[in-house]
Amino acid sequence: MAVDFHVKSSCCKVETLEGEFTMTPALLTPTEQASRSALQKQVVQALRQVLPEHAILFTPEDTTPYECDGLTAYRERPLVVALPETTAQVQSVLQTCSRLKVPVVARGAGTGLSGGAMPHRMGVTLSMAKFNHILNMDPVSRTALVQCGVRNLAISEAAAPYGLYYAPDPSSQIACTIGGNVAENSGGVHCLKYGLTVHNVLKVKGFTIEGDPIEFGSDALDTAGYDLLALLVGSEGMLAVTTEVTVKLVPKPQLARCIMASFDDLRKAGDAVAAVIAAGIIPAGLEMMDGPMTIAVEDFVHAGYDLSAAAILLCESDGTPEEVEEEIGRMSEVLRNCGATAINVSKDEAQRLKFWSGRKNAFPASGRISPDYMCMDSTIPRKRLADILQAISEMETKYALRCLNVFHAGDGNLHPLILFDANDADQLRRCELFGADILETSVAMGGTVTGEHGVGIEKVNSMCVQFSAEENEQMFAVKRAFDPQGLLNPGKVIPTLNRCAEYGRMLVRAGAIKHPELERF
């Protein structure tokens, strides 16, 4: 399971007490509660003019299920939840909230891992769950037009009779929605070869906060003017509300085979990842797990992993049988030259899926061996994989907590899972410092504070490390161009200058400061 504690305000201000990181429960003063109740009554009355009664939720028992996304560390009960069923209703809800100057947080399936869909205390959560229809499947153009609430895997299931599928495959693909994938620019184990969401989407339709229809991209190969589609994808619900998405479909490969390679040393495994790419090979998937993670998932799914290995790599090839045979041979040779102690190649489709079952179940496997875990998400250059693993190992000693590591190794996307007990306040404090240390070390190694989970609430402080005040202001300027009142998903992703100063002082008191940009505080 994930962390389960509350934060003080809708913008998740992290408070300090005698130099420690602490998260305090959300509390309202009597004056604040009266103000919230009055606003709730006003918003409900206004929404009743544009939505049926069953599409408006505002009692505590009805709104509690919406108080967090997949990152349960951050919770806030929404003022009101709106569940529109038509695009006209979406437009009316946005127009109403814009007129009342009430914040709006769009929500899909709630599987996000950065707190990006956490509600605003004084705002409306706009649930798009009922927009779950595939509107058109075009096998000739290899595209599908889907509503934002369609599940990622449902697109591939609908395209299967035509020999096609949708390539981005996050581990939550059975539940996550395409609208959420667009918001976070989601990837998956096959994004190395086939790209992230941004590479597999042609067009997005939706509305601005004022309720104006807006369209990004086109059905053609290119569109006039600036590439605003790439700007929208990954914007975490801050620029517009998505209603429809046109995605690309790709032919299902004739054959896919997976190599499971064992290594007796983490550095050898990390260097092997860089060597595969340097050899001019782009695998369909290239994933890495360290020894502790391998043990955890093997006990859970019995995928046939080598428990004596310090790390294993999963390297997949797909295409025609001839292409796969040639690429598997080349990858095997590179892996042997890098010191692989064992190489196993899947003999059939069942064994290939078995190899991947462990990787796909890394998170639940970790939840079986620890009361809580915090999943981090950062990206580094591939050549620094061994370095970051060594750094994380040293952090385990520094913070006296275990960390299981799983990576989208081919593109340098890290998912360290820090194990702790949220009922122990000191473990929670050390876990927060551990996570911040991983993110800051990733930046110091030439990487970024996020890969595919987004910034949301979880990493907004760490954005202070990666970006200067001037750069943050430029990002705010882009947001203001689409959302002048700052009503769409406010308080997330982009930190203010005051917040960065507060974060710097906090790290100084905690003795964890390393970054020169923050040392001046």
Side-chain angles (χ1 to χ4, degrees):
M1 67 185 74
V3 193
D4 184 8
F5 57 92
H6 294 260
V7 290
K8 185 173 182 182
S9 70
S10 58
C11 64
C12 295
K13 177 181 178 182
V14 182
E15 300 226 319
T16 59
L17 180 62
E18 297 178 348
E20 295 185 344
F21 276 133
T22 60
M23 292 288 186
T24 52
L27 298 173
L28 292 176
T29 67
T31 301
E32 290 173 332
Q33 184 59 57
S35 176
R36 187 178 190 273
S37 298
L39 179 60
Q40 183 184 66
K41 182 178 180 180
Q42 181 185 17
V43 171
V44 169
Q45 288 177 341
L47 290 179
R48 280 173 173 157
Q49 306 303 310
V50 298
L51 291 176
E53 188 66 30
H54 68 266
I56 307 170
L57 308 179
F58 57 91
T59 63
E61 58 268 29
D62 287 336
T63 57
T64 295
Y66 295 87
E67 67 181 4
C68 67
D69 57 14
L71 181 68
T72 59
Y74 305 98
R75 296 173 181 267
E76 187 66 80
R77 187 171 294 154
L79 186 74
V80 178
V81 177
L83 296 99
E85 300 172 355
T86 68
T87 54
Q89 289 177 353
V90 173
Q91 183 178 36
S92 296
V93 169
L94 291 170
Q95 289 172 337
T96 299
C97 291
S98 178
R99 175 172 54 81
L100 296 176
K101 295 181 172 55
V102 171
V104 175
V105 178
R107 178 187 172 96
T111 60
L113 293 171
S114 65
M118 193 191 80
H120 192 286
R121 177 185 297 175
M122 305 296 280
V124 170
T125 289
L126 180 62
S127 172
M128 304 299 288
K130 295 185 178 181
F131 289 78
N132 56 3
H133 299 290
I134 296 176
L135 302 177
N136 184 47
M137 187 69 60
D138 189 342
V140 176
S141 67
R142 294 179 179 172
T143 62
L145 174 61
V146 304
Q147 290 185 315
C148 60
V150 171
R151 294 179 300 109
N152 175 289
L153 187 58
I155 301 175
S156 292
E157 291 171 342
Y162 306 102
L164 303 170
Y165 75 108
Y166 180 62
D169 57 343
S171 294
S172 58
Q173 67 178 147
I174 191 173
C176 66
T177 64
I178 191 64
N181 291 174
V182 167
E184 305 296 343
N185 192 21
S186 302
V189 298
H190 290 102
C191 67
L192 177 61
K193 181 174 181 178
Y194 293 100
L196 301 163
T197 300
V198 70
H199 306 114
N200 290 274
V201 167
L202 286 172
K203 186 169 67 175
V204 173
K205 294 178 67 175
F207 294 98
T208 67
I209 182 61
E210 291 90 357
D212 296 328
I214 192 166
E215 186 174 298
F216 303 86
S218 72
D219 293 316
L221 293 177
D222 198 3
T223 185
Y226 291 112
D227 185 6
L228 296 181
L229 178 62
L231 177 67
L232 178 76
V233 177
S235 61
E236 304 192 37
M238 297 193 304
L239 306 182
V241 173
T242 296
T243 55
E244 294 180 7
V245 184
T246 301
V247 302
K248 301 176 185 177
L249 303 174
V250 296
K252 189 174 182 179
Q254 295 180 33
L255 179 68
R257 298 179 72 190
C258 182
I259 299 173
M260 181 177 67
S262 303
F263 291 84
D264 59 8
D265 180 78
L266 289 172
R267 184 166 291 277
K268 290 179 183 178
D271 291 344
V273 172
V276 168
I277 304 300
I281 304 171
I282 305 297
L286 181 50
E287 300 286 304
M288 179 176 175
M289 288 181 284
D290 67 4
M293 177 61 82
T294 300
I295 293 171
V297 298
E298 181 62 18
D299 185 60
F300 183 40
V301 299
H302 309 294
Y305 289 164
D306 181 357
L307 299 183
S308 66
I312 67 167
L313 294 182
L314 296 177
C315 313
E316 182 160 291
S317 175
D318 65 11
T320 65
E322 296 79 12
E323 290 171 335
V324 171
E325 182 178 4
E326 189 269 342
E327 191 168 81
I328 288 289
R330 290 176 62 200
M331 284 196 293
S332 297
E333 181 180 2
V334 172
L335 295 171
R336 287 193 190 94
N337 291 338
C338 289
T341 57
I343 292 179
N344 294 299
V345 182
S346 60
K347 297 178 177 61
D348 51 35
E349 180 66 3
Q351 190 176 33
R352 182 186 77 87
L353 294 176
K354 194 173 183 180
F355 283 175
W356 282 113
S357 67
R359 169 60 187 90
K360 288 283 190 177
N361 285 281
F363 290 8
S366 301
R368 294 176 72 240
I369 64 174
S370 176
D372 304 279
Y373 67 76
M374 182 176 289
C375 176
M376 306 309 298
D377 166 55
S378 65
T379 303
I380 61 167
R382 282 184 291 264
K383 63 183 180 181
R384 302 301 302 272
L385 277 173
D387 297 327
I388 192 69
L389 282 169
Q390 179 60 40
I392 291 174
S393 178
E394 294 170 0
M395 292 176 202
E396 288 185 273
T397 301
K398 178 180 179 180
Y399 299 107
L401 293 172
R402 296 174 61 199
C403 184
L404 310 185
N405 293 289
V406 60
F407 302 88
H408 296 307
D411 57 3
N413 187 198
L414 321 178
H415 291 320
L417 283 84
I418 306 169
L419 309 184
F420 73 107
D421 184 349
N423 294 313
D424 184 330
D426 187 61
Q427 284 196 40
L428 175 57
R429 178 188 66 86
R430 285 182 277 126
C431 179
E432 293 167 351
L433 290 171
F434 196 158
D437 206 345
I438 291 174
L439 296 179
E440 292 178 37
T441 302
S442 297
V443 173
M445 289 185 178
T448 66
V449 298
T450 186
E452 59 173 338
H453 293 175
V455 175
I457 291 298
E458 179 197 29
K459 303 186 188 75
V460 68
N461 284 334
S462 295
M463 290 284 282
C464 302
V465 176
Q466 183 165 359
F467 298 101
S468 68
E470 292 77 14
E471 289 169 326
N472 285 330
E473 174 53 33
Q474 289 303 312
M475 285 188 275
F476 273 123
V478 172
K479 176 171 173 56
R480 285 193 292 268
F482 288 86
D483 177 17
Q485 299 183 84
L487 296 178
L488 282 177
N489 215 8
K492 300 173 185 171
V493 185
I494 310 171
T496 63
L497 182 60
N498 288 341
R499 187 185 188 96
C500 288
E502 181 181 79
Y503 182 54
R505 289 191 293 270
M506 187 187 311
L507 291 182
V508 169
R509 295 188 186 113
I513 195 74
K514 292 186 307 185
H515 198 281
E517 185 67 23
L518 292 174
E519 288 177 353
R520 58 194 175 89
F521 300 114

